[in-house]
Structure formats: structure tokens, C-alpha cells
Amino acid sequence: MTADEHLAGQWREWRHARISELSRPYGWTALVAQHWLKEGDTGVVLDGLPGTWAVSDGTVLYTAPASGENLVVDGEYAVGTVEIVPGRNQTYGHGRSVPVYHGVREVETIPRTTDDGDSIFAVRVRDPRESARKDFSGLAAYDYDPAWRVPARFTPSAREDVEQVTVETGVRETTSRIGVLSFELDGRGYELALIGKDASYGVQPVAHIRDLTSGKTTYGAGRVVELQFADSSGERIDWIDFNYLTALPCAFTNFVTCPLPPSQNHLDVEVLAGEKKPEVEIDRVLTFQST
């Protein structure tokens, strides 16, 4: 059995890294804009960005202007029309996508769907000056409590992509279900649907929950905790440590599409562990207008 002092010490180091992560130059809190494109769009001018944008056969295209400001795509100024490959540049790895900059700002595209199942793309802008001006040293969390490190059992299943409702009305995000995590709290059994995030090192299992603290002492749209596989095959998880719960990115910025947790992940208990809600609440303004 791992000693409590060790568990608490590891958590303190992680907590420091978590606070630092929130101030990264191109992290979640650097987001300053989220534009939307749909299939068939052509010659679209996006506020604050150079050139024009289009979507053709599921491909996001940027056409450089004849002169003036331009995007730097994978280290070189864009010439003519180039593809801006969607990806998760700043989170879990980004597949084929490459770094894209407009001055000091980073530009990325992400795929989403509408409630009707149509494909859409967001063009997001991150500005390091935005994250640099913010102070997260006061972001509170419950003290580490080893009682919230709970034995668990993972039952893997065939990967299933689900178009999950998000905080951005009318927009859905693909979440990949990879199985069920079973555990007990106060003698009662619970089962969570787990998400599998594609990362450069493999699949990262994530639990996304709401509980009776949500909207009170913790963020209302829920919290997430990254889990660890106990084997190389990705078929065993031994623990869920609720002390590592963090607020979703939408707790810190308006320019995201955080999925809402599935109903089976709503726990009818107070999880008095993990990150509390930020002192400053985001006044959410929708960026997507359904046509």
C-alpha cells in the first residue's frame, strides 16, 4: 500500500504543474477567438485574420493575400492556397496538423458537427498576451485526501464515437468511449463511461463527471480526471483518484466547445476532492450561429 505522505507529495507537485499549465503561451487560457466554417464556404474573411478561408470536400483551405499580413504555416509564409489541417495542437497531440502562426498568435482548426449531423470547422486563435495577463495562483482545490483515491475496475469495450452535446449550443464534439470504470463510494457501486483521448503516447483514459458539488463549489459543467492504465495493453485500471479532478477548459475561456458529461456520469454524491471553480466565472457568449 502506497504511503499517504507519498501520494500527497506527488499531488502537490502535480498541482503546481497544473497551475503553471494554465498560463502557457498557447494553452487554453490564451484563446481569444473562435470562428466557424461549413462545407461549401468560399472566400470567407475572418475577423482579425489575413487572407480568405474556404471548406471544400471536408478540407479547410486558406488563401494568402497578394500582399500584407500572412499566416506562417509549418515555418513558412503561405503561398497561394494551402490546407490548414485540423488537430489538437495544444492538448493531446495533433496528427497531421502543423504549427500555424499569425504574428505572435497561433491559429488552429478543429472539426465539429451540428445538432443535425453536418460537419463544421472552428478556426481558433490563441494569443500568448492573453494568458500572460492572467493569474491562477488563487485557483483553489480541496486538500489532498487519500480517501478519494478509490480502487476501480475497467471493463474495456470496442471504441465508439459519440457526438456529445457541448456548452456551445448547436455544436457537438466527437468523444470516443472506450469502456466502463466501476468503483464504490460509501458502499454504493458506480459505473462511469470513459473517454479515450488520442495522445502522442497512445490512448489517454479520461473520466468526465458531474456531482453534487457541481455549480456550487466546483465548476458547473463538470470536471475531468485523467486515469492511468496499469498494463501495457490498456485493459486494466486499478484506481481513480478524485483529488486530480480539474475544471473543464470552458471554466476559463469562452472560445471552446467542452462536451457535457453523459448522464450516467452524474454522481449523486458530493465529491469533496479536486479542483474548485475559478473565482471569476466566464460570461458565456455563443460563437456559433446555426443556419
Side-chain angles (χ1 to χ4, degrees):
M1 180 68 71
T2 306
D4 291 349
E5 291 86 348
H6 176 83
L7 293 172
Q10 294 292 300
W11 175 82
R12 291 187 192 98
E13 288 288 346
W14 169 85
R15 186 67 193 160
H16 175 78
R18 160 67 176 168
I19 298 301
S20 298
E21 173 75 10
L22 286 171
S23 298
R24 278 200 314 116
Y26 298 106
W28 290 117
T29 65
L31 284 162
V32 293
Q34 180 169 255
H35 308 287
W36 292 97
L37 300 171
K38 65 182 184 301
E39 182 66 41
D41 278 348
T42 183
V44 177
V45 176
L46 299 181
D47 187 35
L49 291 176
T52 59
W53 297 76
V55 179
S56 178
D57 294 329
T59 300
V60 180
L61 300 172
Y62 165 76
T63 299
S67 61
E69 294 184 0
N70 197 2
L71 295 186
V72 175
V73 181
D74 200 20
E76 298 182 357
Y77 288 107
V79 177
T81 298
V82 297
E83 178 184 3
I84 307 297
V85 179
R88 296 176 178 270
N89 289 355
Q90 301 300 329
T91 312
Y92 291 100
H94 54 265
R96 292 196 304 114
S97 69
V98 297
V100 178
Y101 293 100
H102 174 223
V104 302
R105 302 188 301 170
E106 185 192 53
V107 181
E108 66 180 358
T109 62
I110 57 168
R112 293 293 184 263
T113 57
T114 68
D115 287 343
D116 295 328
D118 297 327
S119 293
I120 52 176
F121 296 89
V123 179
R124 284 178 176 165
V125 180
R126 302 176 191 246
D127 191 327
R129 294 165 295 192
E130 177 71 10
S131 55
R133 71 177 182 81
K134 297 174 180 176
D135 179 11
F136 296 100
S137 60
L139 181 61
Y142 289 97
D143 291 336
Y144 188 88
D145 184 349
W148 286 105
R149 184 174 185 260
V150 180
R153 181 173 59 87
F154 177 53
T155 303
S157 63
R159 183 167 178 152
E160 178 188 9
D161 288 342
V162 176
E163 297 303 312
Q164 192 69 25
V165 174
T166 73
V167 295
E168 182 76 21
T169 301
V171 175
R172 302 201 176 205
E173 180 174 344
T174 302
T175 60
S176 298
R177 307 276 179 87
I178 60 171
V180 172
L181 190 76
S182 306
F183 58 91
E184 289 188 0
L185 291 176
D186 295 330
R188 291 188 56 191
Y190 294 90
E191 292 187 342
L192 299 178
L194 291 194
I195 297 169
K197 297 278 191 178
D198 290 322
S200 58
Y201 49 81
V203 175
Q204 172 65 62
V206 178
H208 182 187
I209 71 164
R210 291 190 85 248
D211 65 274
L212 296 186
T213 69
S214 300
K216 299 175 183 177
T217 59
T218 65
Y219 182 53
R223 295 180 290 168
V224 293
V225 56
E226 294 186 348
L227 308 174
Q228 304 302 320
F229 288 121
D231 62 342
S232 59
S233 64
E235 295 184 349
R236 201 179 100 220
I237 296 173
D238 292 340
W239 302 89
I240 179 170
D241 194 335
F242 291 100
N243 292 285
Y244 287 83
L245 282 166
T246 61
L248 295 167
C250 48
F252 306 98
T253 178
N254 184 68
F255 305 108
V256 287
T257 61
C258 294
L260 300 177
S263 58
Q264 74 186 82
N265 288 14
H266 292 201
L267 304 181
D268 58 355
V269 295
E270 285 189 320
V271 178
L272 302 174
E275 193 165 274
K276 297 181 180 181
K277 64 182 179 181
E279 294 178 346
V280 178
E281 294 191 23
I282 296 296
D283 184 14
R284 186 152 303 283
V285 178
L286 297 181
T287 61
F288 176 75
Q289 297 295 324
S290 176
T291 57

